[in-house]
Amino acid sequence: MNDYRANRVAGHSYFFTVRLSERGSTLLTDHIAAFGEAIRQARGRKPFHVDAWVALPDHAHAIWTLPPGDDDCAARWRAVKIAFSKSLSKSRATRGTEIIWEPHYQQHPVGDDYVRLVDYIHHNPLRHGLCGRPQEWQWSSVHRFIAAGMLAG
């Protein structure tokens, strides 16, 4: 079993799934830099640690750890979604009326299932037939885990 717990920080961790409104869309991977920048902006306003993540063409999974005493996941995801949507509106010359995200997201606290959820995140591209091995998918924290020696390359 992998020892991912060394990667954890103080605070409470949450597992998320966020989806685009159009299933089968490729907006997340087509605009991965904008998605990453949206997360960086949200972290600048309300800090959190990104423990693990994967971006697929039409949805993303992540484990975030929020500072002790802070459980405001909604404001953070709202900031990410707004920043990403604004970036797309600028780059695609739309009027901003297009609904890009599903209004809700899945969230649950992470407890003893931390290791299982990190593995789920890193193996998700395989389940969708997007690659043959986790390290072949470029939009994932699996590469950070390999570099840190927590996974074999």
Side-chain angles (χ1 to χ4, degrees):
M1 183 180 328
N2 300 311
D3 184 14
Y4 299 141
R5 296 185 193 284
N7 195 41
R8 293 187 79 172
V9 295
H12 197 82
S13 300
Y14 298 89
F15 172 85
F16 302 98
T17 301
V18 292
R19 298 186 179 284
L20 298 176
S21 61
E22 183 183 338
R23 296 288 171 110
S25 171
T26 59
L27 282 178
L28 279 181
T29 50
D30 289 350
H31 299 277
I32 195 69
F35 186 55
E37 181 58 27
I39 290 171
R40 280 187 285 283
Q41 288 177 18
R43 287 177 68 194
R45 290 186 193 106
K46 289 185 73 90
F48 59 93
H49 182 265
V50 179
D51 295 42
W53 65 276
V54 67
L56 286 86
D58 65 356
H59 70 283
H61 299 288
I63 296 175
W64 291 355
T65 300
L66 278 56
D70 185 346
D71 64 353
D72 192 0
C73 301
R76 289 168 170 88
W77 274 115
R78 187 173 30 259
V80 169
K81 289 178 174 185
I82 289 169
F84 182 75
S85 298
K86 282 183 179 180
S87 175
L88 285 186
S89 292
K90 290 178 186 174
S91 70
R92 295 173 9 163
T94 64
R95 294 186 183 155
T97 57
E98 179 181 19
I99 297 172
I100 295 172
W101 296 99
E102 283 189 357
H104 303 289
Y105 57 88
Q106 295 174 338
Q107 164 193 334
H108 77 266
V110 176
D112 292 339
D113 55 350
Y114 186 86
V115 171
R116 182 186 63 78
L117 290 170
V118 170
D119 284 339
Y120 176 85
I121 287 169
H122 291 158
H123 285 85
N124 203 254
L126 279 75
R127 281 188 282 286
H128 289 278
L130 299 170
C131 60
R133 299 179 322 155
Q135 54 270 43
E136 293 172 0
W137 190 250
Q138 61 183 328
W139 302 296
S140 168
S141 61
V142 72
H143 307 287
R144 177 170 31 109
F145 281 74
I146 291 169
M150 289 187 265
L151 287 174

